[in-house]
Amino acid sequence: MNLTLDERAVAASPRERKHRVSISLAVALGIILSLGAGLAPSASAAANPTGNLDKVEAGLVSGWAWDPNNAAAALTVELRVFNASNQDVTVGKITTTANITRSDLVNAKIGTGKYAFQTSINWFNYPAGTYKVAAYAIKGGAMYPLPNPRNFTVQKLVGGIDRVNDTEIKAFVWKPDAPNYALTMKFNIYNSANAVVKSFSVLSNAYRSDLANLGWGTANYGVLYTMDWSSFAAGTYRVEALAIDGTGIALPCGDPKYYTKTVVVPPPPPAPVWPGPTNTGVPAGTKLTVHEGDLKITVDNTVIDSTEIRGLVRIEAKNVVIKNSLITGRLLTSPLSLIYVNGPNYSVTVKDSTLYAKNPSPYIVGVIGSNFTLERVNIYNVTDQVNIIGNNVTIRDSWLHNNLYYLQDPVQNNTPTHDDNVQIQIGSNIQLIHNTMESTHNAAVMVTQDQGVVGNLLIENNRISHGACALNLAEKTKGTLKGFVIKNNVFVSGTQVYSGCAIITDATSIPLLTLSGNTWTAGGTVAVTKR
């Protein structure tokens, strides 16, 4: 016979009825108390394990389970996650232990009250959608479903790459279901052949004010990665992002971005602007005042400007300046020069001027002396442009060219002319810098030491061509050449009488020369020829 709770109370003896009514009221009170908290009836009303699934949230799954027949047992609880579209398919399982004391269980007289469980489900592992979560108490290998299975909606991962530029990659990612969880972003960079050429991971934990303005959790979901493209070849690269949680599962994060690296090939350096017809001599448009005949300067600090001198110039003063002027000489029957510095106590600077022999002859030389400076001077139609016979001479940015040449030269005992751009017979502190020296038959620079020792000679950054050898440096009887620096000059290939003879000197002077950066126009480094 099956009796209801009230019927069992009536059928009992008066004492039993009184006892059972008390239990019945207690059970009824328990049921009432459990309506909001999911509490099951007391131990006297249930023989199987029971409990409740209270909450399923982004970071928390909680409930309770107990065995009314064994109040001291801590039951194992299995949580099952069922497929969003087919809730008969289990897609996830988690086990935990119901061994946490909860005051509401204690107050409801549920055994010892130490039957609560609390864990979490990593919803990052699940695609977006709605899932059913059910809890089961396990006893003796059997599973007992707990009341109140619950649904949980997994939201889509939010994030992506904001920009990729020359210096950085900016991105963000966050999981609305795990607002306090900083995800790792993995970036893969693919080349045009779809091969990964760089891969790296960054924790997305940088604060972003734009995310805060959207009300997205803590807003600490940003990535700002300094990108160095210097080792990448030119081309277009695809940058993709994946979001990775602590389990290593990766999900695509936003659309890829593209970056095109262009290799800017610097233009070749401009060809050197060597001294020539456009940047030496009398400037175009200069109006010249004519001076007929020779000019002898005896007053210190004299300045000759914009003058055509139809004769020879003799310097017998200090600090003379001749500029923007033309000196053409006169007919000669004995060796003389267009400009002559008559002694070591006198000095002259000639600049932006042109010197040439209007009456060519084997007797005419451009400049002879010491203590003179030539700047942007054009000298031609003479046998030697410059003949140095002393100290302190500088020739800079000048064009020395088109020497006169005679097969029977009276100055050379009717043998061919020994024409040079620069001949140095004696002197020290001599500088030949950034000049064009060309068209000679003997040498561009001829060191003779005919009158004494030549030392401290700098030949730098010149364009040098022609001559039997371009630079002829002779010891003769005055000893080795000391303090000669020859650097960064360009020698014009194939213009020397002796092919490839850029520099010739005596064997004892070769180790004393300082040479660097001297090249041929056809390529290759200049070597020294032993006399």
Side-chain angles (χ1 to χ4, degrees), residues 255-284:
D255 295 328
K257 296 287 185 183
Y258 293 85
Y259 174 79
T260 300
K261 180 182 179 181
T262 56
V263 177
V264 179
V265 179
V273 179
W274 297 108
T278 63
N279 54 10
T280 63
V282 179

Coordinates of all heavy atoms in Angstrom, one line a residue, residues 255-284:
D255 N 40.4 40.6 -39.8 CA 40.8 40.5 -41.2 C 42.3 40.8 -41.2 O 42.9 41.6 -40.4 CB 40.1 41.4 -42.1 CG 38.6 41.1 -42.2 OD1 38.3 39.9 -42.1 OD2 37.8 42.0 -42.3
P256 N 43.0 40.2 -42.2 CA 44.4 40.5 -42.4 C 44.7 41.9 -42.9 O 43.8 42.5 -43.4 CB 44.9 39.4 -43.4 CG 43.7 39.1 -44.2 CD 42.5 39.2 -43.2
K257 N 45.8 42.4 -42.6 CA 46.3 43.7 -43.2 C 47.4 43.4 -44.1 O 48.2 42.4 -44.0 CB 46.7 44.6 -42.0 CG 45.5 45.0 -41.1 CD 44.6 46.0 -41.7 CE 43.5 46.4 -40.7 NZ 42.5 47.3 -41.4
Y258 N 47.7 44.4 -45.0 CA 48.8 44.2 -45.9 C 49.7 45.4 -45.8 O 49.3 46.5 -45.5 CB 48.2 44.2 -47.4 CG 47.4 42.9 -47.6 CD1 46.1 42.9 -47.3 CD2 48.0 41.8 -48.1 CE1 45.3 41.7 -47.5 CE2 47.3 40.6 -48.4 CZ 45.9 40.6 -48.0 OH 45.2 39.4 -48.2
Y259 N 51.0 45.1 -46.0 CA 52.0 46.1 -45.9 C 52.9 45.9 -47.1 O 53.4 44.8 -47.4 CB 52.9 46.0 -44.6 CG 54.0 46.9 -44.6 CD1 53.9 48.3 -44.3 CD2 55.3 46.5 -44.9 CE1 54.9 49.1 -44.3 CE2 56.4 47.4 -44.9 CZ 56.2 48.7 -44.6 OH 57.3 49.6 -44.6
T260 N 53.2 47.0 -47.8 CA 54.1 46.9 -49.0 C 55.4 47.7 -48.7 O 55.3 48.9 -48.3 CB 53.4 47.6 -50.2 OG1 52.2 46.8 -50.5 CG2 54.3 47.5 -51.4
K261 N 56.4 46.9 -48.8 CA 57.7 47.5 -48.5 C 58.4 47.9 -49.9 O 58.5 47.0 -50.7 CB 58.7 46.6 -47.7 CG 60.0 47.2 -47.5 CD 61.0 46.3 -46.8 CE 62.4 47.0 -46.6 NZ 63.3 46.2 -46.0
T262 N 58.7 49.1 -50.0 CA 59.4 49.5 -51.2 C 60.9 49.8 -50.8 O 61.1 50.5 -49.8 CB 58.8 50.8 -51.8 OG1 58.7 51.8 -50.8 CG2 57.4 50.5 -52.3
V263 N 61.8 49.3 -51.6 CA 63.2 49.6 -51.4 C 63.5 50.8 -52.3 O 63.5 50.8 -53.5 CB 64.1 48.4 -51.8 CG1 65.5 48.8 -51.6 CG2 63.7 47.2 -50.9
V264 N 63.8 51.9 -51.6 CA 64.2 53.1 -52.3 C 65.7 53.0 -52.7 O 66.5 53.0 -51.8 CB 63.9 54.4 -51.5 CG1 64.3 55.6 -52.2 CG2 62.4 54.4 -51.1
V265 N 65.9 52.9 -54.0 CA 67.3 52.8 -54.4 C 67.8 54.3 -54.6 O 67.2 55.0 -55.4 CB 67.4 52.1 -55.8 CG1 68.8 52.1 -56.3 CG2 66.8 50.7 -55.6
P266 N 68.7 54.6 -53.8 CA 69.2 56.0 -53.9 C 69.8 56.3 -55.3 O 70.4 55.4 -55.9 CB 70.3 56.1 -52.8 CG 70.7 54.7 -52.6 CD 69.5 53.8 -52.8
P267 N 69.5 57.4 -55.8 CA 70.1 57.7 -57.1 C 71.6 57.7 -57.0 O 72.2 58.0 -56.0 CB 69.6 59.1 -57.4 CG 69.3 59.7 -56.1 CD 68.9 58.6 -55.2
P268 N 72.3 57.3 -58.1 CA 73.7 57.4 -58.1 C 74.2 58.8 -57.8 O 73.6 59.8 -58.1 CB 74.1 56.9 -59.5 CG 72.9 57.2 -60.3 CD 71.7 57.1 -59.5
P269 N 75.3 58.8 -57.1 CA 75.8 60.2 -56.7 C 76.1 60.9 -58.0 O 76.5 60.4 -59.0 CB 77.1 59.9 -55.9 CG 77.5 58.5 -56.3 CD 76.2 57.8 -56.6
P270 N 75.9 62.2 -58.0 CA 76.1 63.0 -59.2 C 77.6 62.9 -59.6 O 78.5 62.8 -58.7 CB 75.7 64.4 -58.7 CG 75.8 64.4 -57.3 CD 75.5 63.0 -56.8
A271 N 77.8 62.9 -60.9 CA 79.1 62.9 -61.4 C 79.9 64.1 -60.8 O 79.3 65.2 -60.7 CB 79.1 62.9 -62.9
P272 N 81.1 63.9 -60.5 CA 81.9 65.0 -60.0 C 81.9 66.2 -61.0 O 82.0 65.9 -62.2 CB 83.3 64.4 -59.8 CG 83.2 62.9 -59.8 CD 81.9 62.6 -60.6
V273 N 81.8 67.3 -60.5 CA 81.9 68.5 -61.3 C 83.3 69.0 -61.3 O 83.8 69.6 -60.3 CB 80.9 69.6 -60.8 CG1 81.1 70.8 -61.7 CG2 79.5 69.1 -60.8
W274 N 84.1 68.6 -62.3 CA 85.5 68.9 -62.3 C 85.6 70.3 -62.9 O 84.8 70.8 -63.7 CB 86.2 67.9 -63.2 CG 86.2 66.5 -62.6 CD1 85.5 65.5 -63.1 CD2 86.9 66.1 -61.5 NE1 85.7 64.3 -62.4 CE2 86.6 64.7 -61.3 CE3 87.7 66.7 -60.5 CZ2 87.1 63.9 -60.3 CZ3 88.2 65.9 -59.5 CH2 87.9 64.5 -59.4
P275 N 86.7 71.0 -62.5 CA 87.0 72.3 -63.1 C 87.0 72.2 -64.6 O 87.6 71.3 -65.2 CB 88.3 72.7 -62.5 CG 88.4 71.9 -61.2 CD 87.7 70.6 -61.5
G276 N 86.4 73.2 -65.3 CA 86.4 73.2 -66.7 C 85.9 74.6 -67.3 O 86.0 75.6 -66.6
P277 N 85.3 74.6 -68.4 CA 85.0 75.8 -69.1 C 83.9 76.6 -68.4 O 83.8 77.8 -68.6 CB 84.6 75.4 -70.5 CG 84.2 74.0 -70.4 CD 85.1 73.4 -69.4
T278 N 83.0 75.9 -67.6 CA 81.9 76.6 -67.0 C 82.1 77.1 -65.6 O 81.3 77.9 -65.1 CB 80.6 75.7 -67.0 OG1 80.9 74.5 -66.2 CG2 80.3 75.2 -68.4
N279 N 83.2 76.7 -65.0 CA 83.4 77.1 -63.6 C 84.8 77.5 -63.3 O 85.2 77.6 -62.2 CB 83.0 75.9 -62.7 CG 83.8 74.6 -63.0 OD1 84.7 74.6 -63.8 ND2 83.3 73.5 -62.4
T280 N 85.6 77.9 -64.3 CA 86.9 78.5 -64.1 C 87.0 79.7 -65.1 O 86.2 79.8 -66.0 CB 88.0 77.5 -64.4 OG1 88.0 77.1 -65.8 CG2 87.9 76.3 -63.6
G281 N 88.0 80.5 -64.8 CA 88.3 81.7 -65.7 C 87.4 82.9 -65.4 O 86.7 82.9 -64.4
V282 N 87.4 83.8 -66.2 CA 86.7 85.1 -66.1 C 85.2 84.7 -66.1 O 84.7 84.1 -67.1 CB 87.0 86.1 -67.1 CG1 86.2 87.4 -67.0 CG2 88.5 86.4 -67.1
P283 N 84.4 85.1 -65.1 CA 83.0 84.8 -65.1 C 82.3 85.4 -66.3 O 82.6 86.5 -66.8 CB 82.5 85.4 -63.8 CG 83.7 85.5 -62.9 CD 84.8 85.7 -63.8
A284 N 81.3 84.7 -66.9 CA 80.6 85.2 -68.0 C 79.9 86.5 -67.7 O 79.4 86.7 -66.6 CB 79.6 84.1 -68.5

